[in-house]
Every structure is written in structure tokens, then in C-alpha cells.
Coordinates of all heavy atoms in Angstrom, one line a residue:
G1 N -168.5 -162.0 -112.7 CA -167.4 -161.5 -112.0 C -167.8 -160.1 -111.5 O -166.8 -159.3 -110.9
W2 N -169.1 -159.8 -111.4 CA -169.5 -158.5 -110.8 C -169.4 -158.4 -109.2 O -169.2 -157.3 -108.6 CB -171.0 -158.3 -111.0 CG -171.2 -157.8 -112.4 CD1 -170.3 -157.7 -113.5 CD2 -172.4 -157.5 -113.0 NE1 -170.9 -157.3 -114.6 CE2 -172.2 -157.0 -114.4 CE3 -173.7 -157.3 -112.5 CZ2 -173.3 -156.5 -115.2 CZ3 -174.8 -156.9 -113.3 CH2 -174.7 -156.5 -114.6
I3 N -169.4 -159.5 -108.6 CA -169.4 -159.6 -107.0 C -168.0 -159.0 -106.6 O -166.9 -159.4 -107.2 CB -169.6 -161.1 -106.6 CG1 -170.9 -161.6 -106.8 CG2 -169.3 -161.1 -105.0 CD1 -171.2 -163.0 -106.4
G4 N -168.1 -158.1 -105.8 CA -166.9 -157.3 -105.3 C -166.6 -156.1 -106.0 O -165.7 -155.2 -105.7
R5 N -167.4 -155.8 -107.2 CA -167.2 -154.6 -107.9 C -168.2 -153.5 -107.6 O -169.3 -154.0 -107.1 CB -167.2 -154.8 -109.4 CG -166.3 -155.9 -109.9 CD -166.4 -156.0 -111.5 NE -166.1 -154.8 -112.2 CZ -166.3 -154.7 -113.4 NH1 -166.6 -155.7 -114.2 NH2 -166.0 -153.6 -114.0
S6 N -168.0 -152.2 -107.9 CA -169.0 -151.2 -107.7 C -170.1 -151.4 -108.8 O -169.8 -151.6 -109.8 CB -168.3 -149.9 -107.6 OG -169.3 -148.9 -107.7
W7 N -171.4 -151.3 -108.2 CA -172.5 -151.1 -109.3 C -172.1 -150.2 -110.3 O -172.4 -150.3 -111.5 CB -173.7 -150.8 -108.4 CG -175.0 -150.9 -109.2 CD1 -175.2 -151.5 -110.5 CD2 -176.3 -150.3 -108.9 NE1 -176.4 -151.4 -110.9 CE2 -177.2 -150.7 -109.9 CE3 -176.7 -149.6 -107.8 CZ2 -178.5 -150.3 -109.8 CZ3 -178.1 -149.3 -107.7 CH2 -178.9 -149.6 -108.8
A8 N -171.7 -149.0 -110.0 CA -171.4 -147.9 -111.0 C -170.3 -148.3 -112.1 O -170.2 -147.9 -113.2 CB -170.8 -146.6 -110.3
D9 N -169.5 -149.4 -111.7 CA -168.5 -149.8 -112.7 C -169.1 -150.8 -113.7 O -168.3 -151.1 -114.8 CB -167.3 -150.5 -111.9 CG -166.5 -149.4 -111.1 OD1 -166.7 -148.2 -111.6 OD2 -165.8 -149.8 -110.3
V10 N -170.3 -151.3 -113.5 CA -170.8 -152.2 -114.4 C -171.8 -151.7 -115.3 O -172.5 -152.5 -116.1 CB -171.3 -153.5 -113.6 CG1 -170.1 -154.2 -113.0 CG2 -172.5 -153.3 -112.8
V11 N -172.0 -150.4 -115.2 CA -173.0 -149.7 -116.1 C -172.3 -148.8 -117.1 O -171.1 -148.6 -116.8 CB -174.1 -149.0 -115.2 CG1 -174.9 -149.8 -114.4 CG2 -173.6 -147.9 -114.4
T12 N -173.1 -148.4 -118.0 CA -172.3 -147.4 -119.0 C -172.1 -146.0 -118.3 O -172.8 -145.7 -117.3 CB -173.2 -147.2 -120.2 OG1 -174.5 -146.7 -119.8 CG2 -173.4 -148.5 -121.0
L13 N -171.3 -145.3 -118.8 CA -170.7 -144.0 -118.2 C -172.0 -143.0 -117.9 O -172.0 -142.4 -117.0 CB -169.8 -143.2 -119.3 CG -169.1 -142.0 -118.7 CD1 -168.2 -142.3 -117.5 CD2 -168.2 -141.4 -119.9
E14 N -172.9 -143.0 -119.0 CA -174.0 -142.0 -118.7 C -175.0 -142.6 -117.5 O -175.8 -141.7 -117.2 CB -174.7 -141.6 -120.0 CG -175.6 -143.0 -120.6 CD -174.9 -143.8 -121.3 OE1 -173.6 -143.7 -121.5 OE2 -175.4 -144.8 -121.9
S15 N -175.0 -143.7 -117.3 CA -175.7 -144.3 -116.2 C -175.2 -144.1 -114.7 O -175.9 -144.2 -113.7 CB -176.1 -145.8 -116.4 OG -176.8 -146.0 -117.7
R16 N -173.9 -143.8 -114.7 CA -173.3 -143.8 -113.4 C -174.0 -142.7 -112.4 O -174.1 -143.0 -111.2 CB -171.8 -143.6 -113.6 CG -171.2 -144.8 -114.1 CD -169.7 -144.6 -114.3 NE -169.2 -145.8 -115.0 CZ -167.9 -145.9 -115.5 NH1 -167.0 -144.9 -115.1 NH2 -167.5 -147.1 -116.1
P17 N -174.2 -141.5 -112.9 CA -174.9 -140.5 -112.0 C -176.1 -141.0 -111.4 O -176.5 -140.7 -110.2 CB -175.0 -139.2 -112.9 CG -174.0 -139.4 -114.0 CD -173.9 -140.9 -114.1
K18 N -176.9 -141.7 -112.2 CA -178.1 -142.4 -111.7 C -177.9 -143.3 -110.5 O -178.6 -143.4 -109.6 CB -178.9 -142.9 -112.8 CG -179.4 -142.1 -113.9 CD -180.2 -142.7 -114.9 CE -180.5 -142.0 -116.2 NZ -181.2 -142.7 -117.2
V19 N -176.9 -144.2 -110.8 CA -176.5 -145.1 -109.7 C -176.1 -144.3 -108.4 O -176.7 -144.8 -107.3 CB -175.4 -146.0 -110.2 CG1 -174.8 -146.7 -109.0 CG2 -175.7 -146.9 -111.2
V20 N -175.4 -143.3 -108.5 CA -175.1 -142.6 -107.4 C -176.3 -142.0 -106.6 O -176.5 -142.0 -105.4 CB -174.1 -141.4 -107.7 CG1 -173.8 -140.4 -106.4 CG2 -172.9 -141.9 -108.2
E21 N -177.2 -141.5 -107.4 CA -178.5 -140.9 -106.9 C -179.3 -142.0 -106.2 O -179.9 -141.9 -105.0 CB -179.3 -140.3 -107.9 CG -178.6 -139.0 -108.4 CD -179.5 -138.4 -109.6 OE1 -180.5 -139.0 -109.9 OE2 -178.9 -137.3 -110.3
M22 N -179.3 -143.1 -106.8 CA -180.1 -144.4 -106.2 C -179.7 -144.8 -105.0 O -180.4 -145.1 -104.0 CB -180.3 -145.4 -107.4 CG -181.1 -145.0 -108.7 SD -181.0 -146.2 -110.0 CE -182.1 -147.5 -109.3
L23 N -178.3 -145.0 -105.0 CA -177.7 -145.4 -103.6 C -177.9 -144.4 -102.6 O -178.2 -144.7 -101.4 CB -176.2 -145.6 -103.9 CG -175.8 -146.7 -104.9 CD1 -174.4 -146.7 -105.1 CD2 -176.2 -148.1 -104.2
R24 N -177.8 -143.1 -102.9 CA -177.9 -142.1 -101.8 C -179.4 -142.1 -101.3 O -179.7 -142.0 -100.1 CB -177.7 -140.7 -102.4 CG -177.8 -139.6 -101.4 CD -177.5 -138.2 -102.1 NE -178.4 -137.8 -103.1 CZ -178.1 -137.6 -104.2 NH1 -176.8 -137.8 -104.7 NH2 -179.0 -137.3 -105.2
D25 N -180.4 -142.3 -102.2 CA -181.7 -142.4 -101.7 C -182.0 -143.6 -100.9 O -182.9 -143.7 -100.0 CB -182.7 -142.2 -102.9 CG -182.7 -140.8 -103.7 OD1 -182.1 -140.0 -103.0 OD2 -183.3 -140.8 -104.7
A26 N -181.4 -144.7 -101.4 CA -181.7 -146.1 -100.7 C -181.0 -145.9 -99.3 O -181.7 -146.4 -98.4 CB -181.1 -147.2 -101.5
V27 N -179.9 -145.4 -99.1 CA -179.3 -145.3 -97.9 C -180.2 -144.3 -96.8 O -180.4 -144.7 -95.6 CB -177.9 -144.8 -97.9 CG1 -177.3 -144.5 -96.4 CG2 -177.0 -145.7 -98.6
A28 N -180.7 -143.3 -97.4 CA -181.6 -142.5 -96.8 C -183.1 -143.1 -96.4 O -183.9 -142.4 -95.8 CB -181.7 -141.1 -97.4
L29 N -183.3 -144.2 -97.0 CA -184.7 -145.0 -96.9 C -185.7 -144.2 -97.5 O -186.7 -144.3 -97.2 CB -184.8 -145.2 -95.5 CG -183.8 -146.3 -94.7 CD1 -184.3 -146.5 -93.2 CD2 -183.7 -147.5 -95.5
K30 N -185.5 -143.5 -98.6 CA -186.4 -142.8 -99.4 C -187.2 -143.8 -100.1 O -186.7 -145.0 -100.6 CB -185.8 -141.7 -100.3 CG -185.2 -140.6 -99.3 CD -184.6 -139.5 -100.4 CE -184.0 -138.3 -99.8 NZ -183.6 -137.2 -100.7
T31 N -188.4 -143.3 -100.6 CA -189.3 -144.2 -101.4 C -188.6 -144.4 -102.7 O -188.2 -143.5 -103.4 CB -190.6 -143.4 -101.8 OG1 -191.4 -143.1 -100.5 CG2 -191.4 -144.2 -102.7
P32 N -188.4 -145.7 -103.2 CA -187.6 -145.9 -104.3 C -188.3 -145.5 -105.6 O -189.5 -145.5 -105.6 CB -187.4 -147.5 -104.3 CG -188.4 -148.0 -103.4 CD -188.8 -146.8 -102.3
R33 N -187.4 -145.1 -106.6 CA -188.0 -144.9 -108.0 C -187.3 -145.8 -109.0 O -186.2 -146.2 -108.8 CB -187.7 -143.3 -108.3 CG -188.3 -142.3 -107.4 CD -188.0 -141.0 -108.0 NE -186.5 -140.7 -108.0 CZ -186.0 -139.9 -108.7 NH1 -186.5 -139.0 -109.6 NH2 -184.7 -139.6 -108.6
W34 N -188.1 -146.0 -110.0 CA -187.5 -146.8 -111.0 C -186.7 -145.9 -112.0 O -187.1 -144.8 -112.4 CB -188.6 -147.4 -112.0 CG -189.3 -148.5 -111.3 CD1 -190.6 -148.4 -110.6 CD2 -189.0 -149.9 -111.1 NE1 -191.0 -149.6 -110.0 CE2 -189.9 -150.7 -110.2 CE3 -187.9 -150.6 -111.5 CZ2 -189.9 -151.9 -109.8 CZ3 -187.7 -151.9 -111.2 CH2 -188.8 -152.6 -110.3
R35 N -185.5 -146.3 -112.2 CA -184.6 -145.6 -113.1 C -183.9 -146.4 -114.3 O -183.6 -147.6 -113.9 CB -183.3 -145.0 -112.3 CG -183.8 -144.1 -111.0 CD -184.4 -142.8 -111.5 NE -183.5 -142.1 -112.4 CZ -182.8 -141.0 -111.8 NH1 -182.7 -140.9 -110.6 NH2 -182.0 -140.4 -112.6
H36 N -183.9 -145.9 -115.4 CA -183.4 -146.7 -116.5 C -181.8 -146.6 -116.6 O -181.1 -145.4 -116.6 CB -183.9 -146.0 -117.9 CG -183.4 -146.6 -119.0 ND1 -183.8 -146.2 -120.4 CD2 -182.6 -147.7 -119.4 CE1 -183.3 -147.0 -121.2 NE2 -182.4 -147.9 -120.6
L37 N -181.2 -147.8 -116.4 CA -179.7 -147.9 -116.5 C -179.3 -148.7 -117.7 O -180.2 -149.6 -118.2 CB -179.1 -148.5 -115.2 CG -179.5 -147.8 -113.9 CD1 -178.9 -148.5 -112.8 CD2 -179.1 -146.3 -113.9
N38 N -178.2 -148.5 -118.2 CA -177.7 -149.4 -119.3 C -176.4 -150.2 -118.8 O -175.5 -149.6 -118.2 CB -177.4 -148.6 -120.6 CG -178.6 -148.1 -121.3 OD1 -179.5 -148.8 -121.4 ND2 -178.6 -146.8 -121.7
H39 N -176.4 -151.4 -119.3 CA -175.1 -152.2 -119.1 C -174.5 -152.4 -120.4 O -175.2 -152.5 -121.4 CB -175.4 -153.6 -118.4 CG -175.8 -153.6 -117.0 ND1 -175.1 -153.3 -115.9 CD2 -177.2 -153.7 -116.6 CE1 -175.8 -153.3 -114.8 NE2 -177.1 -153.6 -115.3
P40 N -173.2 -152.4 -120.4 CA -172.4 -152.7 -121.9 C -172.8 -154.0 -122.3 O -172.7 -155.0 -121.6 CB -171.0 -152.5 -121.4 CG -170.9 -151.6 -120.1 CD -172.2 -152.0 -119.4
G41 N -173.1 -154.1 -123.6 CA -173.5 -155.3 -124.1 C -172.2 -155.9 -125.0 O -171.3 -155.2 -125.2
S42 N -172.3 -157.3 -125.2 CA -171.2 -157.9 -125.9 C -171.0 -157.5 -127.3 O -169.8 -157.5 -127.8 CB -171.3 -159.6 -125.7 OG -172.6 -159.8 -126.3
S43 N -172.0 -157.2 -128.0 CA -172.0 -156.9 -129.5 C -172.1 -155.3 -129.7 O -172.2 -154.9 -130.8 CB -173.3 -157.5 -130.2 OG -174.5 -156.9 -129.7

């Protein structure tokens, strides 16, 4: 059910600022960096 949702909404709270930074850099066509994000788990 992720399609149509914001990427920031499917990661944990502390990962959301990283998503914002990654999107900003991607739109600016900057060299991509690897960033550690967490998704909420079922358990």
C-alpha cells in the first residue's frame, strides 16, 4: 500500500529528516550518498 504515499511516511520518525535531505539532493542532481533509514517492522 505504499504507492501514492510519501516516502517519509513509511519510515520511522528519526529517519524522516534524512529522507528530506536525500530528496533535496536528488532533485538538485547532486552525487548520491548512501543513508541508513529504518522502516517500522511488524514485530
